[in-house]
Amino acid sequence: MNADKLLDAKGLACPMPIVKTKKAIDELEPGQILEVQATDKGAKSDLSAWANSSGHELVDHQEEDGVYKFFIKKG
Amino acid sequence: MAKKVAIIAANGGLFDAYKVFNIATAAAATDAEVGIFFTFEGLNLIHKEGHKQLPMPEGKEHFGEGFKKANVPAIPELVEMAKEMGVKIIACQMTMDVMSLEKEDFIDGIDVGGAATFLDFAYDADVSLTF
């Protein structure tokens, strides 16, 4: 999946992945895709919850070598 | 309409600070309007010097290592983040009077108010929490 912007949140612990994601998505236009890469094990449930309560859509997520990749469409 | 989160911070240790500022910054990240009322020991968490050296609960000092390992952000960093995201910080006037503290003893950008100030913010909050 092609993203319009990539956020590297690897190595960050809660709540920083969410906080940084929020800041990154503020710079996008509605409909654009943000890719977030994180290693925080809590990020998986947190990012989908965050998208849900912030009006964005988690369109895809993958895990690769301990790195979680999230693709979020700005609402 | 935007969501609103009202928090009372009434305890002054390092763990308390994480509980308060993690929820506050996460709430702000979901576009919620967030207000925290710091009262009694909670004032430690926004004290200019105090918030940089908050104590661990007695007997729990060994968790210091875990904090480093988990790469948890330092409290001053979380406080800055909270302020940057527009979290409203209210210090309790009455506690300040009891403890002989002035507004200048605290981090910049705080409001000082009483119980009614917090309640006015909290009455129409969607979530209210006490730590």
Side-chain angles (χ1 to χ4, degrees), chain B:
Chain B
M1 209 183 89
K3 298 175 286 280
K4 204 168 175 186
V5 178
I7 301 172
I8 294 182
N11 288 287
L14 184 71
F15 289 8
D16 306 303
Y18 278 110
K19 294 167 198 171
V20 169
F21 289 115
N22 277 23
I23 292 285
T25 50
T30 61
D31 293 319
E33 185 185 355
V34 185
I36 315 173
F37 185 59
F38 292 86
T39 185
F40 283 83
E41 284 95 328
L43 284 180
N44 270 346
L45 311 188
I46 51 168
H47 189 272
K48 207 175 257 178
E49 297 308 319
H51 85 289
K52 297 176 189 163
Q53 42 195 345
L54 295 168
M56 295 236 196
E58 213 170 313
K60 302 279 162 98
E61 293 83 356
H62 57 283
F63 282 124
E65 196 62 28
F67 273 101
K68 260 184 228 147
K69 219 176 98 195
N71 195 26
V72 171
I75 290 301
E77 193 185 333
L78 279 175
V79 171
E80 267 315 301
M81 196 65 74
K83 275 168 51 182
E84 202 184 306
M85 299 175 93
V87 172
K88 189 177 174 159
I89 292 175
I90 310 162
C92 171
Q93 176 77 68
M94 185 273 280
T95 319
M96 284 169 60
D97 293 345
V98 169
M99 299 182 176
S100 301
L101 292 163
E102 301 294 333
K103 195 176 179 188
E104 295 70 43
D105 295 316
F106 295 94
I107 57 172
D108 295 335
I110 66 160
D111 293 329
V112 176
T117 309
F118 175 74
L119 287 169
D120 183 47
F121 180 87
Y123 275 132
D124 60 348
D126 301 279
V127 174
S128 42
L129 302 162
T130 308
F131 292 104

Side-chain angles (χ1 to χ4, degrees), chain A residues 11-16 18-20 22-23 26 50 53-54 56, chain B residues 3 22 25 28-31 70-73 77-78 81 84-85:
Chain A
L12 299 177
C14 171
M16 298 315 285
I18 294 299
V19 168
K20 300 255 182 195
K22 150 78 177 158
K23 288 187 170 178
D26 281 348
W50 172 82
S53 53
S54 310
H56 309 295
Chain B
K3 298 175 286 280
N22 277 23
T25 50
T30 61
D31 293 319
N71 195 26
V72 171
E77 193 185 333
L78 279 175
M81 196 65 74
E84 202 184 306
M85 299 175 93

Side-chain angles (χ1 to χ4, degrees), chain A residues 12-66:
Chain A
L12 299 177
C14 171
M16 298 315 285
I18 294 299
V19 168
K20 300 255 182 195
T21 299
K22 150 78 177 158
K23 288 187 170 178
I25 209 138
D26 281 348
E27 292 167 16
L28 293 184
E29 300 296 326
Q32 287 190 305
I33 304 278
L34 173 69
E35 177 180 352
V36 182
Q37 299 188 354
T39 49
D40 172 25
K41 288 194 280 290
K44 199 171 165 183
S45 60
D46 252 22
L47 271 166
S48 55
W50 172 82
N52 184 49
S53 53
S54 310
H56 309 295
E57 187 191 350
L58 180 63
V59 284
D60 194 16
H61 64 90
Q62 306 156 7
E63 190 191 337
E64 214 177 283
D65 301 324

